[in-house]
């Protein structure tokens, strides 16, 4: 019987090779490396690490289903409305290759065709950071409600530094909803730290410090991947400032101790322009109960001081959101789309870096438009019975928000920001 099985297996392999049927070794493994393994790796957000043939076969039917339905990979921007770096959306050919491979029985193919494995970067996708800032001790949020907690991270900067990227590694991925980083140059957060006898301090509604144009350093949400800024652009870390980390916990079904850490990648070259994270937000709205397609927007006029370039865009809504877009309209009323997500998914969000910076001139406007479904037809609606919903920090509230990572043209005429050579 063994000989007959070998003959049969050989015949199947020969048929596969002759028919041009895709195999794991030659085609599928390369697609998984390029488009899937950034999340499907050890100790990350995905439920399994998609790094070998046996795992791929075990999950092959599920992979085919979610790939064919366009659920995975979760690349949300609609094609034709902005171009972005590191686009991990599948092409039509790549999607069909995976579906055909599974339909053919998920053949392995010739092991000699396998690509070299991607390097194991451990916790840090960009390699070891220049600086790691971590919570001094773990914090366990109370179960059953949204918790916003701020932590003053140890250490300050002897001189002004500039960061090229931030990465965050949550200690309890199942309950960390999102994170924002702020620079506190006045020591306000330290006075709030630990007042209730627990690590950090309650910061529902804001970090409790004065917020200026360069106070917001970075943000993180599950599935997000860090990117280095272009040479000559950096996020300012002021001399003497402390980094304040605001964590939104959502421990509804369960809780766990969290010890989140931040990796800081410092710029190695002198900085010509700083990156500012500018919010576009409307916090004065109420979505009526049972409303479908309800629209909220906010428009920012660009004055001469705000002329510059948009480097990245970070859209944000909650569970009722269905669509979000950001557009730039110039003085001649020509509209240039920056991003459009027509199938919003609260579970997959983060910043998108434009393939080419978008120039924004004086006299133009930048507009964010959000749409919501506050009816029982929305399976994600958290309210039963259905109630009106407005702006708020809770997951069951809503937001209409987009952070724009921008450089301002006037800074090109200022002296260079010198990077500490010791770094």
């Amino acid at each position: 019987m063994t000989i007959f099985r070998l003959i049969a297996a050989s015949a199947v392999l020969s048929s596969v090779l002759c028919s041009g049927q895709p195999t794991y070794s030659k085609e599928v493994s390369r697609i998984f490396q390029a488009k899937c393994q950034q999340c499907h790796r050890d100790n990350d957000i995905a439920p399994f690490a998609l790094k070998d043939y046996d795992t791929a076969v075990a999950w092959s039917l599920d992979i085919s289903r979610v790939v064919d339905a366009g659920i995975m990979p979760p690349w949300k921007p609609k094609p034709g409305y902005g171009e972005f770096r590191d686009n991990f959306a599948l092409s039509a050919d790549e999607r069909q290759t995976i579906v055909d491979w599974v339909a053919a029985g998920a053949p392995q193919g010739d092991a000699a065709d396998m690509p070299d494995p991607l390097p194991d970067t451990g916790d840090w996708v960009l390699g070891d950071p220049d600086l790691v800032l971590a919570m001094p001790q773990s914090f366990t949020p109370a179960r059953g409600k949204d918790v916003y907690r701020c932590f003053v991270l140890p250490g300050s900067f002897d001189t002004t530094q500039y960061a090229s990227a931030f990465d965050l590694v949550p200690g309890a991925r199942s309950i960390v909803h999102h994170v924002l980083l702020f620079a506190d140059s006045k020591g306000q957060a330290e006075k709030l730290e630990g007042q209730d006898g627990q690590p950090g301090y309650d910061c529902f509604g804001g970090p409790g410090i004065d917020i200026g144009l360069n106070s917001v350093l970075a943000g993180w949400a599950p599935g997000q991947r860090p990117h280095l800024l272009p040479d000559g652009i950096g996020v300012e870390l002021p001399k003497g400032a402390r980094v304040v980390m605001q964590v939104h916990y959502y421990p509804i079904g369960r809780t766990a101790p969290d010890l989140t850490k931040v990796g800081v990648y410092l710029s190695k070259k002198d900085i010509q322009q700083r990156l500012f994270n500018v919010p576009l937000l409307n916090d004065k709205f109420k979505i009526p109960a049972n409303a479908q397609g309800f629209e909220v927007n906010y428009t920012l006029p660009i004055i001469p001081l705000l002329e510059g370039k948009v480097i990245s865009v970070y859209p944000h809504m909650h569970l009722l959101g269905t669509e979000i877009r950001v557009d730039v309209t110039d003085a001649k009323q020509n509209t240039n789309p920056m991003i459009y997500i027509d199938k919003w998914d609260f579970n997959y969000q983060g910043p998108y870096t434009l393939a080419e910076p978008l120039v924004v001139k004086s006299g133009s406007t930048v507009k964010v438009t959000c749409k919501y479904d506050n009816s029982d037809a929305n399976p994600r609606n958290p309210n039963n019975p259905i109630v009106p919903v407005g702006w708020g920090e809770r997951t069951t509230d809503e937001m209409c928000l987009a952070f724009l990572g921008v450089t301002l043209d006037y800074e090109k005429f200022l002296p260079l920001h010198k990077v500490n050579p010791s770094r």
Side-chain angles (χ1 to χ4, degrees), residues 14 56 75-76 125 138 142 150-151 155-156 242 255 313 354 383 393 410 418 422:
S14 177
W75 180 261
K76 308 313 289 184
V125 176
S138 64
C150 283
F151 305 92
S156 59
R242 299 287 294 274
T255 190
V313 55
L354 300 177
N383 298 306
E393 297 277 359
Y410 79 84
K418 295 290 185 179
S422 65

Side-chain angles (χ1 to χ4, degrees), residues 192-407:
L192 303 172
E193 175 82 21
Q195 287 189 356
D196 59 3
Q198 299 186 71
Y201 60 93
D202 180 68
C203 55
F204 189 90
I209 63 175
D210 294 338
I211 302 297
L213 186 60
N214 61 345
S215 297
V216 181
L217 302 177
W220 177 92
Q224 179 177 324
R225 287 296 175 265
H227 300 107
L228 294 169
L229 290 170
D231 289 344
I233 299 175
V235 178
E236 186 175 76
L237 300 166
K239 177 182 178 180
R242 299 287 294 274
V243 175
V244 178
M245 182 173 69
Q246 183 192 50
V247 185
H248 176 191
Y249 296 106
Y250 192 49
I252 299 304
R254 58 182 173 174
T255 190
D258 176 55
L259 194 64
T260 291
K261 55 186 178 180
V262 179
V264 184
Y265 297 83
L266 297 173
S267 299
K268 305 301 188 294
K269 296 185 178 181
D270 292 339
I271 299 301
Q272 180 68 65
Q273 293 177 287
R274 292 173 290 178
L275 185 83
F276 299 100
N277 289 293
V278 178
L280 297 176
L281 66 91
N282 182 335
D283 59 358
K284 302 290 192 299
F285 63 87
K286 184 74 73 173
I287 308 168
N290 301 308
Q292 294 181 291
F294 187 82
E295 184 174 304
V296 175
N297 55 64
Y298 173 80
T299 300
L300 175 68
I302 302 301
I303 61 176
L305 191 63
L306 294 180
E307 284 190 340
K309 294 179 180 177
V310 180
I311 305 295
S312 61
V313 55
Y314 193 144
H316 181 65
M317 298 187 294
H318 289 181
L319 297 171
L320 301 182
T322 58
E323 299 180 31
I324 187 168
R325 63 182 295 160
V326 181
D327 298 295
V328 178
T329 301
D330 63 24
K332 296 181 179 180
Q333 299 304 302
N334 298 311
T335 297
N336 192 352
M338 188 183 305
I339 191 170
Y340 178 31
I341 297 176
D342 62 341
K343 297 178 181 177
W344 173 259
D345 189 331
F346 181 67
N347 296 307
Y348 298 103
Q349 52 181 302
Y352 298 89
T353 302
L354 300 177
E356 295 293 337
L358 183 59
V359 175
V360 180
K361 291 293 187 182
S362 176
S364 60
T365 58
V366 183
K367 181 179 180 181
V368 58
T369 303
C370 307
K371 289 187 177 181
Y372 306 90
D373 181 353
N374 189 20
S375 73
D376 57 10
N378 180 356
R380 295 188 176 92
N381 197 322
N383 298 306
N384 184 14
I386 307 299
V387 296
V389 176
W391 172 276
E393 297 277 359
R394 300 175 304 170
T395 302
T396 52
D397 297 321
E398 263 306 333
M399 289 189 177
C400 179
L401 169 65
F403 278 105
L404 303 184
V406 304
T407 59

Side-chain angles (χ1 to χ4, degrees), residues 20-59:
Q21 183 70 46
T23 66
Y24 177 81
S25 296
K26 191 169 186 179
E27 291 92 1
V28 175
S29 60
R30 288 171 168 79
I31 297 173
F32 286 169
Q33 278 192 354
K35 302 296 178 71
C36 306
Q37 287 186 13
Q38 57 189 357
C39 292
H40 285 268
R41 63 190 195 116
D42 291 328
N43 302 315
D44 214 305
I45 184 176
F48 57 91
L50 195 54
K51 61 182 181 181
D52 55 47
Y53 174 70
D54 289 341
T55 305
V57 169
W59 289 91

Side-chain angles (χ1 to χ4, degrees), residues 51-257:
K51 61 182 181 181
D52 55 47
Y53 174 70
D54 289 341
T55 305
V57 169
W59 289 91
S60 60
L61 294 179
D62 292 293
I63 291 171
S64 179
R65 175 179 57 82
V66 297
V67 164
D68 194 35
I71 298 171
M72 288 287 158
W75 180 261
K76 308 313 289 184
K78 186 176 177 63
Y81 296 84
E83 299 295 330
F84 303 95
R85 284 174 44 187
D86 303 313
N87 183 337
F88 56 82
L90 291 176
S91 68
D93 287 345
E94 289 170 330
R95 193 178 303 278
Q96 193 60 51
T97 295
I98 294 172
V99 171
D100 289 346
W101 171 69
V102 175
Q108 183 172 11
D110 188 347
D113 289 333
M114 283 289 293
D116 292 333
L118 297 179
D120 183 3
T121 58
D123 285 341
W124 308 108
V125 176
L126 296 177
D128 291 336
D130 297 294
L131 182 66
V132 176
L133 305 175
M135 297 163 56
Q137 55 184 306
S138 64
F139 172 75
T140 303
R143 186 168 64 89
K145 63 177 183 179
D146 289 275
V147 175
Y148 280 77
R149 195 77 179 175
C150 283
F151 305 92
V152 183
L153 301 182
S156 59
F157 304 98
D158 296 334
T159 61
T160 297
Q161 300 287 339
Y162 298 89
S164 183
F166 295 89
D167 195 7
L168 286 96
V169 177
R173 288 186 180 273
S174 63
I175 62 170
V176 176
H177 175 276
H178 76 260
V179 179
L180 290 176
L181 300 179
F182 301 89
D184 178 15
S185 299
K186 299 181 179 180
Q188 295 170 308
E190 291 180 73
K191 298 175 182 178
L192 303 172
E193 175 82 21
Q195 287 189 356
D196 59 3
Q198 299 186 71
Y201 60 93
D202 180 68
C203 55
F204 189 90
I209 63 175
D210 294 338
I211 302 297
L213 186 60
N214 61 345
S215 297
V216 181
L217 302 177
W220 177 92
Q224 179 177 324
R225 287 296 175 265
H227 300 107
L228 294 169
L229 290 170
D231 289 344
I233 299 175
V235 178
E236 186 175 76
L237 300 166
K239 177 182 178 180
R242 299 287 294 274
V243 175
V244 178
M245 182 173 69
Q246 183 192 50
V247 185
H248 176 191
Y249 296 106
Y250 192 49
I252 299 304
R254 58 182 173 174
T255 190

